[in-house]
Amino acid sequence: MSKTLLQFILLTLILVLAQVLVFNHVSLFNMAVPMVFIYVILRLPITLSLNWMLTIGFFLGLTVDVFSDTYGMNAFGCTLLSLCRRPILRLYVPREEDLTKPEPSMLSLGSGIYLKYLLTCTLFYCILIFTIEAFTFFHPLQLLLRVVFSTLLSMIIMLGIDSLMTPRSEKRL
């Protein structure tokens, strides 16, 4: 196995355990719940086929569902996020040849594009999950606040994870 594959497997295990054991029990002001396990989907190489993306997304979400008792919500959300990840990236990077590495990161995309990509994907996932969870539009302000605050909290934590994952020699200012 290659070093990159082992890193992704280890990252997946750590983030799923962290999500199930820690982040699912964090609820700031009963509004913000960090969804950091989707970082695995966001960092998968662009060159990965759609079938593999959907399979990885489904099983990642299913694993979190099994341990979180959420009845397939995360499996559905992660599968849709895996499906929409490449079109979202194309919004900001029109040609895949412009990437310096096949793995989306702050190094390969630049900080501005990477932040837009991370924000869009996280917002998409949070809208999906919290809309499914509420299954109603009777409290639109509460739904909006949960989506916005969870997106911001998730992004802050994912940027922290990203800074830990990037080797010191590759970091830019």
Side-chain angles (χ1 to χ4, degrees), residues 2 9 27 67 75 80 113 141 149:
S2 71
I9 291 172
S27 180
F67 293 110
L80 276 180
I113 293 174
L141 182 61
F149 291 140

Side-chain angles (χ1 to χ4, degrees), residues 93-108:
V93 181
R95 296 182 321 152
E96 290 178 8
E97 295 83 32
D98 292 343
L99 295 174
T100 56
K101 290 184 176 183
E103 181 182 308
S105 66
M106 199 163 298
L107 179 68
S108 65

Side-chain angles (χ1 to χ4, degrees), residues 18 57 61 64 89 101 109 112 142 145 156 172:
V64 172
L89 187 60
K101 290 184 176 183
L109 296 175
Q142 183 181 7
L145 289 174
I156 290 168
R172 285 198 230 174

Side-chain angles (χ1 to χ4, degrees), residues 38 42 118-126 151 154-155 158:
I38 63 171
L42 301 179
L118 195 66
L119 176 68
T120 307
C121 289
T122 308
L123 182 64
F124 174 76
Y125 184 79
C126 286
T151 301
S154 298
M155 272 198 55
M158 284 191 279

Side-chain angles (χ1 to χ4, degrees), residues 2-68:
S2 71
K3 181 181 174 184
T4 307
L5 181 61
L6 288 174
Q7 286 177 339
F8 271 110
I9 291 172
L10 185 63
L11 176 68
T12 303
L13 289 174
I14 290 171
L15 287 181
V16 167
L17 280 173
Q19 183 69 42
V20 170
L21 297 175
V22 178
F23 294 123
N24 280 348
H25 302 289
V26 172
S27 180
L28 295 179
F29 308 112
N30 204 19
M31 288 288 170
V33 178
M35 303 286 184
V36 297
F37 71 100
I38 63 171
Y39 181 75
V40 173
I41 295 171
L42 301 179
R43 285 296 298 259
L44 286 172
I46 297 298
T47 56
L48 201 60
S49 73
L50 184 60
N51 291 336
W52 276 109
M53 282 296 305
L54 293 175
T55 304
I56 291 169
F58 174 75
F59 283 112
L60 179 69
L62 186 64
T63 305
V64 172
D65 281 334
V66 165
F67 293 110
S68 301

